[in-house]
Amino acid sequence: MKQSFLALFAAFAATAAVTAPATAADISGAGATFPYPIYAKWADTYKKETNVGLNYQSIGSGGGIKQIQANTVTFGATDKPLSGEDLEKSGLIQFPTVMGGIVPVVNVEGIKPGDLVFDGPTLAKIYLGEITAWNDPAIQKLNPGLKLPSDAIAAVFRSDGSGTTFVWTNYLSKVSPDFKSKIGSNTSVQFPVGLGAKGNEGVANNVMQTKGSIGYVEYAYAKQNKLAYTKMINKDGKTVAPVISSFQAAAAGADWSSAPGMGVILTEQAGAESWPITNPTFILIHKKPTDVAAVKEALKFFNWAYANGGKEAEALDYVPLPDSVVALVKKSWEGVVGEDNKPVFSN
C-alpha cells in the first residue's frame, strides 16, 4: 500500500532535519512525533515570513529529552511532562504548545472512519492479549450494528520511547486496574502482544499495511493517512468522536498552574463531550542556555506561533492554548536568562 503524503513528508523531513546544514539563525529541536505535523506547518510559514528555519527531528519524546539534557539541540519536545524534580535537576523550563487527541486506528475489512466504537476496558484487554479476535463478544457488544470478522487482532504499539505511549498507557491504566498492575504507564512499556513501530508515522504505516491491525496515533496522522479511527465511550458514558470540539471539552477544566512546568495530564476527563485520550505537548529549554542567541530565536518562534498559528493548528485538529495559558507560558520564559541573569526573551 502506498504511504500517504504526510507519512512520506514526515519521513523525509525527519531525515533532512538531521542531515541538512543549518544556517546561523536556524533553530534546532528534537523529540515528540505527536506535534510534528503542526511544527512542520508552522516552520514552513515562519520560514517564509522571517527567513529563519526550524530543523526539527521527529524522533520521539524520549529522544527529545535526552538531546536537550545533552545540550545538542536548542529545545526538546515531549508529550510526557517532566516532574518538577527532573526539571530542576536538568536546569530546564517546560511549557505546553498545543493540545490534541490520541485515537485508536484500525485496519478491518469494511470498517470506515468512525464506524467502530470502543471503550477503555476493551482496548486494555486487547493490549493485554486477552481479546484476540475482531468478533469477540466484548467488541461486538459495543458495535451491535456491525458484522465483524473472525480475523485475529494485530496490536501495533510504539517501539521507541514515546510520549504518545505514555498518554495511551496513562489512559488505559486509569480505566483498567489489570492494565495498571500488569503493564503500567510510561514512555516505553512491555506489551505482551503486538508489533512495534517507530514514531506516529511508523504506527500509522504499520496499521495501513497490516490487515486486522489496531494502533494508536495522534489524530492528525489518522486524518491525513485516511485511517479508520474509532469513536470512544468517555468517562460520562457518552460516545464521542475525535474532533477539535471534543479535545477542547477535555481541556476546558485543566488547572495549568497545579503542576510544575504546567505538566497537566488530560486523560479520562469528565464531561459529556470530552475525548478521553487528550493531551498537551511540551517544550523543554535550558534556564541558562549556552547558546543564548539560539534560544532567543526559539522563543521568538513559539511567541509567533501562539500569536499567529492558531488557525493552522485547528486545521490539523490540534487545540490552541487559551490566552490565559499563553500568558503563564510567557511568564515562565522570564526564568530563561543569559550570563547577565537578564531574561533572554522579552515581548
Side-chain angles (χ1 to χ4, degrees):
M1 183 179 290
K2 291 183 179 179
Q3 292 180 318
S4 71
F5 170 77
L6 177 60
L8 285 169
F9 178 63
F12 168 78
T15 302
V18 177
T19 59
T23 69
D26 281 354
I27 305 158
S28 65
T33 67
F34 177 97
Y36 172 77
I38 186 56
Y39 290 175
K41 182 61 179 174
W42 282 345
D44 181 60
T45 305
Y46 192 70
K47 177 78 171 180
K48 291 173 181 175
E49 292 188 13
T50 66
N51 204 34
V52 175
L54 169 63
N55 291 285
Y56 182 72
Q57 304 168 46
S58 177
I59 59 173
S61 296
I65 292 168
K66 288 178 181 177
Q67 287 213 18
I68 188 62
Q69 288 175 334
N71 212 21
T72 56
V73 290
T74 307
F75 69 86
T78 178
D79 302 327
K80 178 186 179 181
L82 269 61
S83 67
E85 182 181 354
D86 286 340
L87 290 170
E88 192 64 32
K89 181 180 177 181
S90 298
L92 300 169
I93 70 158
Q94 172 179 272
F95 56 89
T97 51
V98 291
M99 297 167 283
I102 294 168
V103 301
V105 290
V106 303
N107 182 347
V108 180
E109 188 173 357
I111 299 298
K112 302 185 297 298
D115 280 355
L116 205 60
V117 176
F118 272 113
D119 61 12
T122 303
L123 286 174
K125 287 181 178 179
I126 289 174
Y127 277 83
L128 283 166
E130 297 173 4
I131 292 177
T132 60
W134 281 105
N135 63 350
D136 186 281
I139 303 176
Q140 196 67 72
K141 184 178 179 180
L142 293 169
N143 299 276
L146 295 178
K147 183 174 175 58
L148 296 168
S150 59
D151 296 348
I153 298 174
V156 183
F157 58 85
R158 288 283 292 275
S159 60
D160 52 332
S162 158
T164 303
T165 292
F166 165 73
V167 176
W168 178 255
T169 56
N170 177 275
Y171 167 68
L172 294 182
S173 292
K174 285 180 178 177
V175 298
S176 168
D178 277 353
F179 190 94
K180 183 177 181 178
S181 64
K182 294 177 181 178
I183 296 180
S185 176
N186 211 330
T187 54
S188 182
V189 298
Q190 290 295 117
F191 290 107
V193 295
L195 311 167
K198 189 174 181 180
N200 272 280
E201 305 95 332
V203 172
N205 289 333
N206 213 316
V207 170
M208 281 193 294
Q209 295 164 8
T210 307
K211 183 181 177 183
S213 59
I214 183 170
Y216 53 93
V217 296
E218 195 282 318
Y219 180 62
Y221 289 85
K223 184 176 180 180
Q224 294 295 327
N225 287 284
K226 297 181 171 59
L227 293 172
Y229 59 82
T230 78
K231 294 178 180 176
M232 289 289 295
I233 297 175
N234 66 16
K235 187 174 184 177
D236 283 25
K238 304 296 184 182
T239 300
V240 290
V243 292
I244 196 166
S245 59
S246 64
F247 305 155
Q248 287 171 327
D255 182 1
W256 294 93
S257 60
S258 65
M262 291 166 274
V264 297
I265 307 296
L266 297 178
T267 54
E268 191 67 341
Q269 293 292 297
E273 297 180 2
S274 294
W275 182 254
I277 325 175
T278 301
N279 71 294
T281 189
F282 301 90
I283 296 298
L284 300 168
I285 284 179
H286 283 284
K287 291 180 182 178
K288 293 188 176 181
T290 54
D291 190 339
V292 172
V295 167
K296 184 174 182 178
E297 287 295 338
L299 295 179
K300 284 171 64 177
F301 169 78
F302 289 113
N303 186 59
W304 171 91
Y306 290 133
N308 303 287
K311 288 185 178 179
E312 290 181 335
E314 290 177 350
L316 288 171
D317 294 278
Y318 293 92
V319 179
L321 296 180
D323 290 344
S324 59
V325 181
V326 172
L328 286 175
V329 168
K330 292 183 181 180
K331 180 70 175 175
S332 76
W333 291 354
E334 294 176 5
V336 181
V337 298
E339 291 182 2
D340 56 2
N341 282 326
K342 292 182 179 179
V344 168
F345 177 87
S346 59
N347 284 311

